[in-house]
Amino acid sequence: MAKLGGLVLAAFVAAGLAAWTRNAGVYMTIPLAVAALVEHRRRRGQPASVRLVPWLAPALSAGGFVTFRLFAWALTGTPRAPELSQRYGWGNSLGNPFTNLMGGITHWQYAVVAAMLMLVIVLAASGHLCAVEATYCAVMLLAACMVDGLHGAAPRFVAVAFPIFPALARWAGQRGGVGALVATSGAIQGAMFVLWTNYWLTAMF
């Protein structure tokens, strides 16, 4: 929606809903800010009120995050309720995504994230991902690395970077490599399913 110019609608339906329900939704503010900047430049020469409308998108997304935090604070009595629940309920803590990524590059989950980040750079440089899509993918992939010790649920964070997949399909289609792309994708998804299932079975038993 943001890519097509429906920035405010995107903020309400996607970013707003995400930010109003969980902390991770705040990451949507960054790609929406990039989309707002692109749209702001596109409207150059128009009245200031028209050019400022796109900036409602990141503002609404950030506002949703603030609303969520205030709700959690009012409900629990502490402004750090989400962080405390993650730390003591799930054993998770937040760290520097770049430090975690480089420190854990030999682990298969971090290696997958690193490979996908490289894909984002290549696809963006070749014009198969626009600035909004590239920013969104990079932010969400790095967000997956903010948890100290990437855990078994990490594939769901990686899957959120969905613009990579149609971009790869477009690129492969131009070169007649669709079959190879589908086969590789299937093999990767199968391997991740096996590893993820093994993680949960190990954790349960």
Side-chain angles (χ1 to χ4, degrees), residues 119-185:
L119 268 177
V120 170
I121 294 172
V122 171
L123 290 170
S126 61
H128 290 90
L129 278 178
C130 70
V132 177
E133 292 171 326
T135 303
Y136 167 78
C137 291
V139 167
M140 297 312 296
L141 288 168
L142 288 173
C145 296
M146 286 186 68
V147 178
D148 288 334
L150 203 61
H151 48 85
R156 65 190 171 97
F157 289 102
V158 173
V160 172
F162 63 89
I164 292 175
F165 308 114
L168 273 175
R170 289 192 295 269
W171 175 81
Q174 292 174 358
R175 290 160 176 76
V178 175
L181 176 64
V182 172
T184 304
S185 176

Side-chain angles (χ1 to χ4, degrees), residues 43-198:
R43 299 184 181 191
R44 186 171 297 166
Q46 299 184 28
S49 57
V50 175
R51 297 186 68 192
L52 289 174
V53 168
W55 294 103
L56 286 173
L60 285 169
S61 178
F65 171 74
V66 172
T67 302
F68 172 80
R69 299 292 299 211
L70 290 175
F71 171 76
W73 187 355
L75 193 65
T76 63
T78 172
R80 299 182 61 243
E83 288 83 9
L84 293 175
S85 65
Q86 284 290 320
R87 177 174 295 178
Y88 297 112
W90 294 92
N92 296 329
S93 59
L94 296 181
N96 186 318
F98 297 101
T99 302
N100 288 342
L101 185 62
M102 296 306 297
I105 197 66
T106 55
H107 194 282
W108 73 269
Q109 291 172 322
Y110 285 110
V112 169
V113 174
M116 293 187 73
L117 281 170
M118 292 302 298
L119 268 177
V120 170
I121 294 172
V122 171
L123 290 170
S126 61
H128 290 90
L129 278 178
C130 70
V132 177
E133 292 171 326
T135 303
Y136 167 78
C137 291
V139 167
M140 297 312 296
L141 288 168
L142 288 173
C145 296
M146 286 186 68
V147 178
D148 288 334
L150 203 61
H151 48 85
R156 65 190 171 97
F157 289 102
V158 173
V160 172
F162 63 89
I164 292 175
F165 308 114
L168 273 175
R170 289 192 295 269
W171 175 81
Q174 292 174 358
R175 290 160 176 76
V178 175
L181 176 64
V182 172
T184 304
S185 176
I188 292 173
Q189 292 183 55
M192 291 183 70
F193 176 77
V194 170
L195 289 167
W196 198 16
T197 302
N198 178 67

